[in-house]
Amino acid sequence: MDIFRIQGGNRLSGSVKISGSKNGALPVLFASLLCDGPVELRNVPTELRDIKTTLKILETLGARSEVGEYGSVNIQIQDVSSTCADYELVSAMRASICCLGPLLARRGEARVSLPGGCSIGDRPVELHTRGMEALGAEVSIENGYVVARAAQLKGSTVYLSGPMGSTVLGTQNVMMAAVGAEGETVIEGAACEPEVQATAGFLRAMGVAVEGDGTPVIRIEGRGRLDQGGGLGGGSFGIPPDRIETGTYLLAGAIAGDKVTIEGCNPSENLALLDLLNRIGVSVEVGTSTMTVQGVESVAPVDISMLPYPAFPTDLQGPLMALLCLGRGVSIITDKVFPDRFNHLSELRRFGARVRKEGPTAIIEGGAPLSGAKVMASDLRASACLVLAGLVADGMTEVYRIYHLDRGYERMEEKLRKLGAEVERLSEKELEQDREMELAQG
Ligand code: EPZ
């Protein structure tokens, strides 16, 4: 298990190039199961662990994939007989529930392991299964698997808003199932996240009529009977830039930057973050596909809630908390999407941060000096929070279990080093050797 060792205090400057969106790419990869013809994807963040896991799952489902340069992935479905996504792979990544829709549409049946618990809190999938039922599928839970069958899916009105708002992956899953339905499907209470628009964009590129993505009402014209040998023809699609990676580097620039330019991003997808940065005194120059952020010594305190798009994203809650530790007073963050997503909080305390949790809310008393510490990453975005805190903490930080970070940030240590940060990746063995050497040198 790799470790990041960070010497805090270097001011960052220069530019960083944003990768393709992880959460945009994952459902699109699963949507390739709807196709018979070749699929060519561009700008896929192929070095991410979640992308590699997805390609393995697709392989078990009869898809041959080739990863080329610059994020190109070519996929060809060779065998449509398998309908089962196994526990071993699905338990590594919750997004794999997204093979439910395409398998059902193309193969008439799906057996997908229930993803199980997650360190960011409870993550049920009943909205996904209710959506499949609304399209006429019979769904049951058998031995830890979601089992869904439909001789023929039928277009229908599907309502997808739950106790915490809509569901991003659930919306994408139902959109993919609806491609194989007879007639029109209308998804009401659909998630509006840009990643849903990526799925819609892919389906359109494959010739499917989809309208309304980006709004709470999405319409999909079903193709009917895909399972009778009539998969989609294939085509080409480019994955948009990752708005969460963009936001993470904007926050890194605010925390530790002199002047950092984020390149190849889509600023219009980060308006909630830009508005917040403006309110707390961080200046950002916004171009068409670039943003330049000027670092700060401290920020004004703020009271903010994480909510579905276009509000402030829960995926940036952790990285934001690292910045608010530099606040000139008490900040309040409430996560209304994942109210238990605060694993980073107790680790932030190891840096000396004054943070505490009350229900779905974190209270951050800004201004406490941060000093380097050994900390444990517990999930993807919590890892990013700890790395950002390490950049500004005094002295050396070691972040353990960096494999969480590798699920969603491509070559983060290289990107940060290019900006002037002192970050190295060490295997546990290398760290051990370093320690022995230090001991030997007295
Ligand atoms: C997606 O997860 C993202 N994952 C998450 O990013 C992201 O945090 C989340 O959307 C919210 O934006 C991927 O795209 C792979 P939801 P998803 O279903 O779709 C509740 C990351 O770090 N809910 O929109 O699984 C749920 O518990 C990951 O990259 C139900 O109640 O999230 C939550 O409170 C982590 N019933 C809320 O809805 C359901 O059936 C939103 O969850 C499904 C969800």
Side-chain angles (χ1 to χ4, degrees), residues 161-193:
S161 201
M164 313 302 276
S166 188
T167 163
V168 179
L169 289 175
T171 301
Q172 292 157 316
N173 223 348
V174 172
M175 286 165 75
M176 294 187 272
V179 173
E182 264 173 4
E184 188 185 60
T185 293
V186 181
I187 305 179
E188 300 266 1
C192 300
E193 271 69 3

Side-chain angles (χ1 to χ4, degrees), residues 22-23 26 95 120 122-128 163-164 166-169 193 314-315 337-338 341 380-381:
K22 166 181 85 83
N23 291 347
L26 294 174
I120 66 173
D122 189 25
R123 294 180 73 186
V125 295
E126 94 287 352
L127 291 171
H128 298 236
M164 313 302 276
S166 188
T167 163
V168 179
L169 289 175
E193 271 69 3
T314 170
D315 291 345
V337 180
F338 290 116
R341 194 179 202 175
L380 167 57
R381 310 300 173 188

Side-chain angles (χ1 to χ4, degrees), residues 97 100-101 104-105 108-114 125-151 153 173-174 177:
I97 188 70
L100 186 66
L104 197 53
E109 193 178 317
R111 245 180 98 78
V112 183
S113 174
L114 266 174
V125 295
E126 94 287 352
L127 291 171
H128 298 236
T129 54
R130 283 215 314 251
M132 301 304 156
E133 282 169 342
L135 297 181
E138 269 179 35
V139 185
S140 55
I141 306 294
E142 295 172 20
N143 311 113
Y145 282 73
V146 181
V147 180
R149 288 189 191 89
L153 294 168
N173 223 348
V174 172

Side-chain angles (χ1 to χ4, degrees), residues 10 374 379:
N10 284 15
K374 289 180 188 170
D379 66 74

Side-chain angles (χ1 to χ4, degrees), residues 323-394:
L323 175 62
L324 295 182
C325 288
L326 310 184
R328 294 183 293 273
V330 177
S331 289
I332 294 174
I333 300 183
T334 303
D335 198 324
K336 295 191 172 172
V337 180
F338 290 116
D340 294 320
R341 194 179 202 175
F342 288 113
N343 287 325
H344 41 287
L345 212 129
S346 49
E347 298 302 293
L348 273 180
R349 271 193 221 117
R350 297 179 57 78
F351 289 99
R354 285 194 293 259
V355 285
R356 69 174 200 279
K357 177 178 175 319
E358 285 184 18
T361 298
I363 296 156
I364 304 119
E365 270 181 67
L370 302 185
S371 58
K374 289 180 188 170
V375 288
M376 189 75 80
S378 55
D379 66 74
L380 167 57
R381 310 300 173 188
S383 320
C385 161
L386 301 177
V387 171
L388 264 50
L391 292 176
V392 79
D394 190 26

Side-chain angles (χ1 to χ4, degrees), residues 58-69:
L58 290 179
E59 197 183 321
T60 68
L61 294 171
R64 194 168 57 84
S65 61
E66 248 171 53
V67 174
E69 281 189 318

